Amino acid sequence: MDTAERLVESTRALLWERGYTGTSPKAIQRLAGAGQGSMYHHFTGKPELALTAIRRTASELRAKAEEPFSAPGTAVERVTAYLRRERDVLKGCPIGRLTQDPEVMADPALRAPVGETLDWLRGRLAALLAEGRERGELAAALDPVTTAATIVATLQGGYVLARAAGSAAPFDQAVSGILGLLAAHTLPAEP
């Protein structure tokens, strides 16, 4: 891994652990094993490096979500696979956590990939749920857009509750609640 790559990966790790405010250039350099000159050779400063790291994290999150979304199965099976996939619940969502960082939210460039990723997730879930409704898997009364927003909000809230409790149990309960609500709108398979 070259120096620029180590700097980006170190920044990603620190942003997830400490947030933007708590991530200093010195901490990035120390974790990356790079000097100040190397950092400023590859990036104009912390904002550019953080933006690169946030964009990479956003891209990775989308790719991980797309795997179960584009897999075979019903819409509910694919949403279930996404919600039940392995994740480090107690660390929280690496994108969702950035919404709590005032410096990220105050900077339009840093905020953009955060908002775009959450918008993409809501949109992708809405499309998947609409597909399930069109294929007769889900009741016509299910609103894909509001249901997708509910799923994302519950998922992000589940991370917060789990972190506050120091246990994944509240997150798992939130996911079970979402799946229970979807089950209530699932139609029996036609023979």
Side-chain angles (χ1 to χ4, degrees):
M1 192 181 310
D2 69 11
T3 303
E5 185 69 15
R6 288 194 324 268
L7 287 163
V8 171
E9 288 303 311
S10 296
T11 303
R12 289 179 66 204
L14 291 168
L15 286 173
W16 195 4
E17 179 185 316
R18 303 177 182 181
Y20 183 83
T21 305
T23 299
S24 69
K26 287 213 179 291
I28 294 168
Q29 294 161 20
R30 191 170 30 255
L31 187 59
Q36 183 176 4
S38 292
M39 181 174 155
Y40 291 102
H41 171 75
H42 294 288
F43 301 95
T44 57
K46 177 182 165 183
E48 182 189 12
L49 181 52
L51 181 58
T52 302
I54 293 168
R55 284 181 176 154
R56 182 172 300 168
T57 297
S59 176
E60 185 178 283
L61 187 144
R62 288 179 188 195
K64 282 183 181 176
E66 190 56 44
E67 287 177 24
F69 290 161
S70 59
T74 67
V76 172
E77 288 168 344
R78 291 182 280 162
V79 170
T80 300
Y82 167 70
L83 292 173
R84 295 274 189 217
R85 75 175 168 79
E86 191 169 323
R87 48 184 102 217
D88 194 345
V89 172
L90 295 181
K91 281 184 79 176
C93 173
I95 291 295
R97 286 192 62 188
L98 292 172
T99 64
Q100 301 303 309
D101 195 308
E103 287 189 54
V104 171
M105 292 298 99
D107 184 325
L110 294 175
R111 186 178 64 242
V114 173
E116 289 163 5
T117 301
L118 293 172
D119 287 345
W120 174 86
L121 183 56
R122 283 192 308 272
R124 190 63 181 93
L125 282 163
L128 187 56
L129 295 169
E131 176 189 320
R133 197 172 68 174
E134 289 164 16
R135 291 180 5 190
E137 300 165 1
L138 294 165
L142 179 110
D143 180 336
V145 173
T146 58
T147 303
T150 301
I151 291 170
V152 174
T154 304
L155 194 63
Q156 291 300 317
Y159 281 121
V160 170
L161 295 173
R163 286 175 54 82
S167 165
F171 181 89
D172 294 338
Q173 288 172 331
V175 167
S176 293
I178 292 170
L179 295 176
L181 292 172
L182 284 178
H185 287 87
T186 300
L187 301 174
E190 293 183 13

